[in-house]
Amino acid sequence: ACAMLLPLCAACHGPWHERTLATRCGHALHVDCAKSAATTGECPGCRSELLQEELRPLFVTVKTGELTKGDAVAKLALLEWRVKREEVRLAELSDEAVKLAEDRDATEKARQNAVAQQLKDEREIAVLERRLESFQSQLASGASRLKSARETKVFADYAASVRASLDSADGSVAGLADARVQFIKSLKAVTDNGFMFKLLAQLEHLERTVATEARHAPI
C-alpha cells in the first residue's frame, strides 16, 4: 500500500487538515497562518504577492478503507501537530493569566497604598486644623490683650490730664474739656464704637458726679 501524502503548511510547516487554504502561487496555508501572512502581503513559502481575496480552500481527496502504515503515520503527525499547537496556545494563555494576575495584584497594592496615603493625609490635615485653631485662638487672645493695654494707656493718659488740669492754678473747666477731647480722639483709635460709647457714657456720669461734688465742696 502507498503512504498517504498530505501537503504541509508553508508558514508553520504543520500537516494538512480540513481548514487549509491554497495561495495563488500554489502553497498551502492553515487558515490562521493565512490570516497572519495576508497582513504582510507576502507568501511565506516563496515571498510572492499574497492577497486575502485570492486565498481558496484546499481540498484533498483521501482514499477510504483499510488504514495503511503511511495513513497512520500521516494521521499521527497531524495529531501531534495539533497537540503541539494546543500546547503553545495553552502556554500563551497561561502566560497571559499570570500577567493578568500580576496586574491585578499591582492594581490592588496601588489601591491599598492610595487608601493608606489618603488616611495619612486626613490625619495630617486634622493636625494642621487643630494647630490653626490654636494659633487663631492665641492670635485673638493677643489682639484682645493688646487692645486692652491700649485702652488702659488711653485712660491713664486721660486721668493724668484731668489730674494736671485740676492741680493747675486756675482749675479751669477749659483744661478738663481739652483733656476730654484728647481722650475721645485717643479712644477712637484703639477701640470699637460700641465700647467707646459705653465708656463715654460712664465718663459723662463720672464728670457729673465730680461737678456735683465740686459745687458742694466747702470753700
Side-chain angles (χ1 to χ4, degrees):
C2 296
M4 182 173 59
L5 300 179
L6 296 176
L8 300 178
C9 175
C12 68
H13 303 291
W16 173 90
H17 59 75
E18 61 274 10
R19 298 186 63 205
T20 302
L21 301 178
T23 65
R24 181 179 61 180
C25 54
H27 288 96
L29 295 172
H30 295 136
V31 172
D32 294 338
C33 296
K35 290 181 179 179
S36 300
T39 59
T40 64
E42 291 183 352
C43 173
C46 61
R47 302 301 178 187
S48 61
E49 183 180 12
L50 176 64
L51 299 177
Q52 179 72 34
E53 57 271 16
E54 293 180 349
L55 294 172
R56 295 290 182 270
L58 178 62
F59 301 101
V60 176
T61 302
V62 181
K63 180 183 68 174
T64 60
E66 182 182 357
L67 184 65
T68 64
K69 181 178 179 180
D71 296 338
V73 171
K75 287 183 176 293
L76 179 62
L78 177 60
L79 291 175
E80 289 177 348
W81 176 81
R82 288 180 176 176
V83 169
K84 290 181 180 179
R85 184 181 63 177
E86 295 303 322
E87 288 177 348
V88 171
R89 289 181 178 178
L90 182 61
E92 292 175 351
L93 291 176
S94 178
D95 293 340
E96 185 176 356
V98 171
K99 185 177 183 303
L100 289 175
E102 292 175 350
D103 293 342
R104 180 200 60 196
D105 294 341
T107 301
E108 178 62 20
K109 185 176 180 179
R111 187 190 67 81
Q112 294 176 355
N113 291 338
V115 171
Q117 184 63 39
Q118 181 180 359
L119 294 176
K120 181 180 178 182
D121 293 343
E122 290 176 353
R123 289 193 294 267
E124 292 179 353
I125 290 174
V127 172
L128 292 176
E129 288 178 346
R130 290 194 294 270
R131 289 181 180 176
L132 178 60
E133 291 177 356
S134 177
F135 175 75
Q136 290 175 340
S137 177
Q138 295 175 6
L139 182 62
S141 178
S144 178
R145 290 196 298 269
L146 178 61
K147 177 182 176 182
S148 178
R150 290 177 176 175
E151 292 170 351
T152 301
K153 184 177 183 304
V154 170
F155 277 103
D157 293 343
Y158 174 67
S161 299
V162 172
R163 181 175 295 279
S165 178
L166 293 175
D167 291 343
S168 63
D170 55 357
S172 65
V173 178
L176 289 174
D178 292 341
R180 189 174 189 276
V181 171
Q182 182 60 39
F183 168 70
I184 293 174
K185 290 182 178 179
S186 301
L187 191 61
K188 286 182 177 180
V190 298
T191 188
D192 55 87
N193 291 335
F195 184 68
M196 184 185 70
F197 291 148
K198 182 178 179 180
L199 292 178
L200 289 178
Q202 295 177 359
L203 175 62
E204 291 175 355
H205 176 71
L206 179 61
E207 289 176 348
R208 287 195 297 271
T209 302
V210 172
T212 301
E213 292 178 352
R215 287 196 298 271
H216 292 85
I219 298 176

